[in-house]
Amino acid sequence: GRLIFSSPSAVADYYMEDLRHLETETAVLVLLDNRMALIREEILSLGTVNCTLLSPREIFVRALRWGAVNIVLLHNHPSGDVTPSREDIQTTRRCIEAGKIMDIPCLDHVIVGGGNSDYYSFRESGMVDFTNEKISMTAEQILRVNESNSTYKGGTETMPENGRKDDLFVPD
């Protein structure tokens, strides 16, 4: 009976009670297998009250050591204000990118407020892009753009004599 998390918010709910009573900023790395079952949790840092900088290197060394397939980051804001700092946003982006390269997706970064039950999920907020396809999609789009430029040179030279690009746009 390993603990299985059905969603990032389930992770937040589970850890919220522990994290919201802490007086210093603490970051927790949750290591999950392919079924989203908990492998283990690691305390990454016990920071000062407002400054926990996480290194992707530290995170992925631990993820690899324990054979994690997915990870979720959590940390608390003892002040109670769960608004992410610029460092939080930067750290989250770096972890997502590193996760894509390492093939260990960072599924979410959750900030829990001190004393109350507020939380902030980067995934739910849509502030950063968690899609794994981003990199390959962009590469495909770049290739497509290059193909179409060399084929059509802007689309004017290859226009048929009758002035219609193709039959889909024939007016009634």
Side-chain angles (χ1 to χ4, degrees):
R2 296 249 293 278
L3 188 60
I4 294 182
F5 293 111
S6 55
S7 68
S9 60
V11 179
D13 292 342
Y14 181 78
Y15 286 97
M16 194 172 294
E17 194 49 41
D18 289 340
L19 284 172
R20 70 192 189 92
H21 299 297
L22 300 173
E23 282 160 31
T24 54
E25 197 166 297
T26 304
V28 178
L29 172 64
V30 181
L31 302 172
L32 303 167
D33 69 11
N34 56 349
R35 296 179 309 124
M36 295 291 286
L38 179 66
I39 296 172
R40 69 182 278 127
E41 62 208 44
E42 296 257 305
I43 302 291
L44 285 172
S45 63
L46 298 158
T48 56
V49 175
N50 61 358
C51 173
T52 295
L53 281 177
L54 305 178
S55 108
R57 182 175 180 278
E58 267 299 290
I59 289 165
F60 288 98
V61 161
R62 291 168 194 231
L64 290 166
R65 182 186 302 149
W66 296 104
V69 179
N70 298 291
I71 61 168
V72 176
L73 293 172
L74 292 105
H75 80 275
N76 63 321
H77 282 178
S79 66
D81 178 1
V82 294
T83 311
S85 68
R86 202 165 50 209
E87 288 82 8
D88 294 340
I89 296 166
Q90 195 182 347
T91 299
T92 306
R93 287 204 172 111
R94 288 175 63 203
C95 278
I96 292 168
E97 289 308 317
K100 287 176 188 176
I101 295 164
M102 300 296 293
D103 206 22
I104 303 173
C106 174
L107 300 178
D108 202 352
H109 184 178
V110 176
I111 301 170
V112 175
N116 55 27
S117 55
D118 270 1
Y119 79 90
Y120 179 96
S121 154
F122 274 90
R123 182 179 275 277
E124 287 169 13
S125 76
M127 178 180 289
V128 295
D129 183 11
F130 282 92
T131 54
N132 265 331
E133 296 78 54
K134 181 89 180 180
I135 294 172
S136 55
M137 232 179 74
T138 312
E140 265 177 45
Q141 283 166 346
I142 291 166
L143 290 172
R144 268 197 217 113
V145 167
N146 287 345
E147 274 174 29
S148 60
N149 282 352
S150 58
T151 319
Y152 302 118
K153 300 195 175 74
T156 45
E157 289 91 333
T158 54
M159 233 204 240
E161 288 75 71
N162 60 13
R164 292 203 306 248
K165 267 201 177 117
D166 66 42
D167 295 333
L168 292 174
F169 298 107
V170 179
D172 293 308

